[in-house]
Amino acid sequence: VKYQGKNHYRIYKPLSDDKSLRKLAIEKDIYSVIANEELEVYYQPQIETDTGLIYGVEALVRWNHPEFGLISPADFIPLAEATGVIFPLNEWVLRTACKQLKIWHEQGILIYMAVNISPQQFYKEENLTTKVKEVLDECELDPSFLVIEITEAIAINNMDIAIRKLFELKRLGVQVALDDFGTGYSSLSYLTQLPIDTIKIAREFIDEIGTASTTSAILAALVTMANDLNLKIVLEGVEREEQLQQLMRFRSHYMQGFYFSRPIPLEEMNAMLNDMCVP
Ligand code: C2E
Ligand code: CA
Ligand code: CA
């Protein structure tokens, strides 16, 4: 059982029991996940540091498996990638998130929507930009409110393709955020070559704040660099009050993490938005 904000508990079935049986079952079931309408988008608020208000949300997919309950994307995204289900899955998430964003905008809640694009989809889907444009048109959304999150690995694996595709996407008017920034790559020079609006500093750095003394120095350097390059900064994975206190010195624009809220289903997100969003 995991704590999920006020009075909300969800059961996560432990992977250890009947692990291989479960694995076989989900390998089979992944193919019908969309037809059976078993996917759900959860939303996690992103908070403006200065005001403490919600300025955007990140769409995070969940699988409501009829037998195993809620399955985390860490468990099925790799499977979806291996089977090719990732393409319709990501399109479903994008469309669902954009439709919801349109509803919020019509209610006067002018927040941003961040959607994750997996490496597979980024590199293998030739008409990715066309798909995104289709969805934006269909939902009649102002493209600048859509933030495409890509990982650092995407940006680095094949710089030429990454540059071409990112510029294609940027021409639609959407924003691009670099997710999990700072995990594993030492070259920062690519940052100047890619059309990126935001970097999301990886949870690993935030975790260590207050325990490892070098982390503060690295974080300070990353924030300075991002500011110099005119990039917006999101600090990810803020979990505790003490972390928040320490992080306030780094002058990031935005924060995201369990401290503010876990990813929550639509109903709860609606309730939260009525209380606190950037007007
Ligand atoms: P991510 O894009 O880095 O998403 C953030 C993950 O960190 C989410 O896990 C979120 O629940 C978790 N998180 C947020 N705040 C905190 C915190 O304070 N502490 C801790 N410990 N964790 C926090 P989630 O939802 O399980 O998603 C895992 C990953 O699965 C995502 O990592 C993303 O790479 C992928 N994913 C999720 N939804 C989608 C999707 O629709 N499409 C694709 N392609 N990938 C997705
Ligand atoms: Ca993300
Ligand atoms: Ca992340």
Side-chain angles (χ1 to χ4, degrees), residues 8-257:
H8 293 282
Y9 292 86
R10 275 173 210 284
I11 312 289
Y12 276 72
K13 294 258 167 68
L15 261 177
S16 51
D17 68 25
D18 304 326
K19 197 174 172 181
S20 52
L21 268 180
R22 182 185 127 126
K23 195 160 170 276
L24 276 177
I26 68 171
E27 276 174 14
K28 176 171 65 64
D29 295 344
I30 189 94
Y31 290 100
S32 43
V33 77
I34 296 172
N36 291 351
E37 301 183 7
E38 288 165 4
L39 294 178
E40 184 173 355
V41 176
Y42 274 40
Y43 300 95
Q44 187 178 33
Q46 301 179 319
I47 306 294
E48 191 175 66
T49 308
D50 285 350
T51 59
L53 296 173
I54 298 173
Y55 84 99
V57 295
E58 178 173 359
L60 293 158
V61 71
R62 300 289 181 264
W63 180 2
N64 283 310
H65 191 281
E67 191 182 339
F68 302 114
L70 214 57
I71 305 181
S72 118
D75 289 340
F76 69 87
I77 293 285
L79 187 59
E81 296 217 310
T83 53
V85 172
I86 194 71
F87 300 110
L89 185 150
N90 276 322
E91 191 178 337
W92 182 87
V93 173
L94 178 70
R95 181 167 279 110
T96 305
C98 284
K99 279 184 183 162
Q100 186 53 49
L101 186 61
K102 181 63 181 177
I103 293 172
W104 283 328
H105 282 190
E106 280 172 349
Q107 295 170 344
I109 301 171
L110 287 182
I111 54 172
Y112 294 83
M113 174 70 73
V115 174
N116 294 283
I117 296 274
S118 69
Q120 271 268 11
Q121 191 189 21
F122 187 81
Y123 280 115
K124 298 243 171 87
E125 188 156 10
E126 260 316 310
N127 53 356
L128 175 65
T129 312
T130 318
K131 281 263 167 62
V132 174
K133 183 167 172 19
E134 253 170 46
V135 173
L136 285 169
D137 289 349
E138 186 186 309
C139 298
E140 298 177 318
L141 263 183
D142 175 343
S144 66
F145 283 92
L146 177 65
V147 183
I148 303 280
E149 291 198 2
I150 61 162
T151 60
E152 226 181 342
I154 286 188
I156 305 263
N157 278 351
N158 190 329
M159 270 298 266
D160 292 341
I161 298 184
I163 291 172
R164 176 173 63 78
K165 287 217 166 182
L166 286 179
F167 273 101
E168 248 176 57
L169 280 167
K170 283 295 297 176
R171 268 198 295 276
L172 298 178
V174 302
Q175 301 195 48
V176 176
L178 198 54
D179 207 353
D180 302 335
F181 184 78
T183 49
Y185 298 92
S186 49
S187 164
L188 298 173
S189 60
Y190 69 88
L191 268 185
T192 57
Q193 289 174 262
L194 297 169
I196 287 164
D197 303 279
T198 303
I199 62 173
K200 298 185 75 174
I201 296 183
R203 184 163 74 228
E204 284 76 357
F205 290 101
I206 312 305
D207 271 348
E208 287 174 5
I209 201 79
T211 53
S213 57
T214 47
T215 306
S216 290
I218 294 171
L219 200 54
L222 287 179
V223 171
T224 305
M225 178 201 64
N227 278 325
D228 289 348
L229 295 171
N230 263 323
L231 299 168
K232 282 168 281 180
I233 301 157
V234 182
L235 301 181
E236 277 199 278
V238 182
E239 291 183 350
R240 295 180 305 276
E241 174 80 41
E242 320 88 77
Q243 286 177 323
L244 180 68
Q245 294 314 326
Q246 300 227 32
L247 291 167
M248 288 312 266
R249 337 181 242 132
F250 294 104
R251 309 206 330 104
S252 71
H253 307 91
Y254 308 112
M255 294 192 192
Q256 183 178 350

